[in-house]
Amino acid sequence: MTDSSSARPRRRTTRPIAIAQVLLVIAAGALWVASRLPWVVIRSFDGLGPPRQVTLTGATWSTALLPVAMLLLAAAVAALAVRGWPLRVLAALLAAASFAVGYLGVSLWVIPDVAARGAELAHVPLTALVGSGRYYWGAAVAVGAAVCTLMAAAVLLRSASNAESAHPGPTKYAGPAARQATARHGDDGPMSERMIWDALDHGVDPTDRPHGSDTEGR
């Protein structure tokens, strides 16, 4: 009964982290998809040949998409190894990354003209530039990845706060060795029934208290 109750707080702590990991993996996959989708098309004609059209993918238009995707995968792994304030720092970094990715996606909508930058990335002279166009699907996927990343950051931050507020006492969820030591030294107040049985299983007399603390009869 005690083992099952002690496992519940552990499950309550790891479950939000698992949810955050799934969100980070989804966000990383979405960024990879966004990097493969077309974002901008540049049309040019130099008068010497047929008209030319160059399509710029997300990886070309926003070179940070793939590095951020790798960062999110690394953060999903790191979420298993950190607790406490390092988990808060990780959540803050993920929140900053979500805003950066969101800016990359939204900028495609708000930027007045993509022709100049597109021509530079496509290596097309401005004198040969005829027109340009935008594809919004890639930017929309990037914004969706930013939302997933921000949600993961919020879940990790809440998990860190809950873990600190619900941190058990030193012996409430202690293992058999810790309970055995407590039973031997008697330095944690009255022993529970489980602690007494653990002490007996390890050949320790739970009634054997240090002589210095035995003041009975004095």
Side-chain angles (χ1 to χ4, degrees):
M1 185 70 68
T2 305
D3 289 342
S4 61
S5 61
S6 64
R8 292 194 195 102
R10 199 173 298 114
R11 286 197 295 267
R12 285 197 294 266
T13 303
T14 57
R15 187 179 303 168
I17 293 179
I19 295 174
Q21 287 178 303
V22 172
L23 289 172
L24 290 175
V25 171
I26 293 175
L31 288 181
W32 181 84
V33 172
S35 69
R36 307 290 293 180
L37 290 174
W39 282 43
V40 174
V41 59
I42 298 298
R43 304 178 186 89
S44 63
F45 179 66
D46 56 6
L48 302 177
R52 182 185 174 200
Q53 177 173 302
V54 179
T55 301
L56 302 176
T57 63
T60 303
W61 182 258
S62 298
T63 56
L65 291 179
L66 288 178
V68 173
M70 299 299 296
L71 177 65
L72 296 183
L73 291 178
V77 177
L80 287 175
V82 296
R83 293 292 185 274
W85 68 265
L87 190 60
R88 293 176 180 270
V89 173
L90 180 63
L93 292 176
L94 289 175
S98 70
F99 286 113
V101 173
Y103 171 78
L104 293 177
V106 173
S107 64
L108 188 68
W109 278 288
V110 300
I111 190 172
D113 187 15
V114 298
R117 184 167 184 266
E120 179 182 358
L121 293 175
H123 305 289
V124 173
L126 291 177
T127 55
L129 184 63
V130 174
S132 63
R134 314 181 195 209
Y135 297 99
Y136 295 105
W137 281 109
V141 173
V143 172
V147 173
C148 289
T149 304
L150 186 60
M151 292 173 60
V155 171
L156 290 178
L157 186 60
R158 184 175 180 180
S159 175
S161 301
N162 291 342
E164 291 178 359
S165 62
H167 191 274
T171 59
K172 185 176 181 181
Y173 301 114
R179 288 193 293 264
Q180 177 186 356
T182 301
R184 181 183 295 115
H185 297 289
D187 56 359
D188 199 34
M191 293 181 296
S192 65
E193 181 180 356
R194 176 58 186 271
M195 294 166 61
I196 295 175
W197 283 112
D198 283 338
L200 293 175
D201 289 341
H202 287 81
V204 177
D205 184 2
T207 63
D208 185 15
R209 301 277 178 157
H211 297 290
S213 61
D214 187 7
T215 59
E216 185 177 353
R218 297 185 182 179

